[in-house]
Amino acid sequence: MRILMTALAVVVLLTGAARAETVRVGVTAGPHAEILDVVKKVAAGRGLDIKVVEFTDYVIPNQALALGDLEANSFQHEPYLKNQLSKTGWKIVKVASTIASPQGVYTLKYKKLADLPDGARVAIANDPSNGARGLMILALHGVIKLRDPNNVASTIADITDNPKKLRFVELDAAQLPRSLQDVDLVSINNNYAVQAGLNPATDAIAREAADGPWVNILAVREEDKDKPWVKQLADAYRSDEVKAFLEKRFKGTYIATW
């Protein structure tokens, strides 16, 4: 009987050791989801089971994390997170940097920014950080001037010089690719650009610098930041396997920062 009990105990211990912990990670559909599928495979070999939960907008992933419907998310840059936290008071923190994704501006009508006519209509995101991002691209390339070209919270009200008298249209980020037919220039977040069949590295007529403030992050609830699975998740993301996937699949559109 003692031998049987010992054998059962060993089986229980081995079963417990082999059972992977499950972490729900929210991502936006498209590139972020593709990358997390690779992270999931890497993590599985290290004892961490990831469930990838896809969203179609930028607001719900943080709300779901704050409410406990997710353990982590991977879809945003730090300025966006900080802006949402300033409005909500959610206890969410960055735990790792992930990828850089230089955003671009697109047009179906012109070859370069200098070709934009006076009064051209320009669509940008209607959320504060991504709207600022679109304006900062134009300022970087000399199309407009901003009160502070490094202010990641810049708005249309911060434009101090607009020699072409550009007219700005603010739209939900997910709707920006559809507006290409209706406006002269659109600033599109890369995940939505890729989903729409655009290649930011080749189709954008201007892009932001890769070393700006817009590096993407992994985020978790503040109460969870020191839990062992957080390091497992971050290490699985920042792995050689994921870096190789980024280079092969996205060819400069999404760039590893590790």
Side-chain angles (χ1 to χ4, degrees):
M1 179 65 71
R2 182 175 298 172
I3 294 174
L4 178 60
M5 292 294 291
T6 302
L8 286 173
V10 170
V11 170
V12 170
L13 285 171
L14 289 175
T15 302
R19 186 182 298 122
E21 184 170 4
T22 299
V23 173
R24 298 164 296 177
V25 183
V27 295
T28 44
H32 285 293
E34 287 187 55
I35 296 166
L36 251 293
D37 282 338
V38 180
V39 176
K40 178 178 179 177
K41 293 175 184 176
V42 175
R46 304 178 181 185
L48 182 69
D49 179 51
I50 293 176
K51 180 180 179 182
V52 180
V53 183
E54 294 189 21
F55 296 87
T56 57
D57 68 21
Y58 289 153
V59 176
I60 304 302
N62 280 332
Q63 183 181 52
L65 178 57
L67 293 176
D69 296 323
L70 302 171
E71 279 68 57
N73 65 39
S74 175
F75 76 102
Q76 65 191 324
H77 44 68
E78 195 167 14
Y80 181 81
L81 174 61
K82 287 181 176 179
N83 180 268
Q84 280 214 315
L85 298 186
S86 71
K87 297 177 179 179
T88 61
W90 292 331
K91 302 299 183 182
I92 298 173
V93 296
K94 165 191 170 182
V95 291
S97 297
T98 56
I99 53 174
S101 182
Q103 187 170 308
V105 291
Y106 303 82
T107 177
L108 298 180
K109 302 177 181 178
Y110 308 104
K111 297 290 186 182
K112 53 186 184 295
L113 288 175
D115 296 337
L116 286 174
D118 289 353
R121 297 178 71 217
V122 178
I124 62 173
N126 63 3
D127 65 88
S129 61
N130 287 305
R133 199 170 179 179
L135 295 175
M136 290 170 73
I137 294 172
L138 297 180
L140 176 67
H141 293 276
V143 180
I144 61 173
K145 289 183 180 179
L146 294 171
R147 186 169 289 108
D148 177 0
N150 297 313
N151 179 13
V152 296
S154 292
T155 69
I156 293 170
D158 294 307
I159 297 173
T160 58
D161 191 22
N162 181 8
K164 286 183 177 287
K165 297 180 174 55
L166 302 178
R167 295 175 293 158
F168 289 91
V169 181
E170 295 177 285
L171 301 171
D172 181 79
Q175 305 303 316
L176 288 167
R178 299 180 188 176
S179 71
L180 265 171
Q181 301 286 343
D182 304 317
V183 300
D184 296 290
L185 188 75
V186 190
S187 175
I188 306 175
N189 290 70
N190 282 1
N191 61 309
Y192 293 128
V194 171
Q195 280 183 270
L198 297 167
N199 183 337
T202 57
D203 295 332
I205 63 169
R207 297 174 80 193
E208 64 195 7
D211 59 352
W214 312 107
V215 173
N216 282 253
I217 62 171
L218 282 173
V220 304
R221 287 186 297 280
E222 188 173 10
E223 65 197 63
D224 292 336
K225 64 183 177 67
D226 296 319
K227 291 184 177 178
W229 62 261
V230 174
K231 185 177 187 306
Q232 284 182 282
L233 172 60
D235 287 348
Y237 198 117
R238 295 166 62 86
S239 63
D240 291 341
E241 294 93 328
V242 173
K243 181 180 287 189
F245 172 76
L246 291 170
E247 292 172 353
K248 181 178 179 180
R249 171 68 178 87
F250 296 111
K251 298 179 174 62
T253 299
Y254 291 89
I255 305 164
T257 61
W258 63 95

